[in-house]
Amino acid sequence: MRILGIDPALRVTGYGVIDGNGSGVQLVEAGVVTPSTEALEMRLQQLHAAMCEIIAQTRPDVVVIEELYATYKSPGTAILMGHARGVLALASAQAGVPVRTIGHAHVKRALVGSGSARKEQVGAMVARLLGLESRPQPHDVSDALAIALAFHHRHGHVLAH
């Protein structure tokens, strides 16, 4: 099963593609999408176009996007993140790829055993699980791969059958 994990944002969106089966996981591709700092509608269009290309090139079986979370102190950020998540889900739907979501605390628990794990701990576990010499950089890539790995850990065996 091929999983595309996405850490959504309007400035730097991380993505990571893994292949998983009963014997383990393997890194396929990872990177970031960095729309220009133009108007919101242009950044959304650039994010959508880039994700359409990534999906076409990597042909995932499922796209996993981090769930939206926000504190009451920053509702504006939550609204902007909703825009980014929307165009990412649209790109997936247009390609006929199912979209699933996963919460950041679940990702941390699945990889490190604690929902309050630090980014460094999660990144180190991503590197270990994928057989990498160091933590993927920038953290947006590491986070996207963590999302894919956590989804595989929880659902991989179900989707593979």
Side-chain angles (χ1 to χ4, degrees):
M1 171 187 33
R2 184 164 283 189
I3 303 167
L4 168 55
I6 302 175
D7 180 30
L10 285 172
R11 299 206 188 281
V12 179
T13 291
Y15 72 93
V17 183
I18 62 169
D19 276 337
N21 56 42
S23 63
V25 293
Q26 179 179 4
L27 175 63
V28 174
E29 177 180 325
V32 293
V33 176
T34 54
S36 66
T37 57
E38 296 179 37
L40 174 63
E41 64 274 12
M42 294 306 298
R43 284 187 281 164
L44 292 171
Q45 187 278 330
Q46 292 166 5
L47 181 58
H48 177 265
M51 196 52 56
C52 286
E53 185 175 324
I54 291 164
I55 291 170
Q57 289 178 356
T58 62
R59 301 177 51 123
D61 297 305
V62 64
V63 171
V64 185
I65 303 173
E66 186 178 44
E67 285 179 358
L68 181 61
Y69 69 95
T71 65
Y72 65 91
K73 296 178 184 178
S74 58
T77 300
I79 291 168
L80 290 174
M81 289 298 296
H83 292 323
R85 291 180 79 249
V87 299
L88 294 167
L90 174 62
S92 301
Q94 288 174 325
V97 180
V99 175
R100 302 292 183 262
T101 61
I102 191 168
H104 71 282
H106 174 77
V107 171
K108 292 175 180 182
R109 274 193 305 274
L111 270 63
V112 181
S114 169
S116 61
R118 296 184 325 271
K119 282 193 179 289
E120 296 78 20
Q121 293 173 297
V122 173
M125 186 56 75
V126 167
R128 181 171 172 245
L129 291 170
L130 293 174
L132 306 174
E133 291 185 19
S134 62
R135 193 166 48 106
Q137 295 291 331
H139 69 84
D140 310 276
V141 171
S142 183
D143 290 351
L145 287 167
I147 290 164
L149 288 164
F151 184 84
H152 179 266
H153 175 73
R154 186 174 202 182
H155 301 287
H157 63 285
V158 175
L159 295 175
H161 294 133

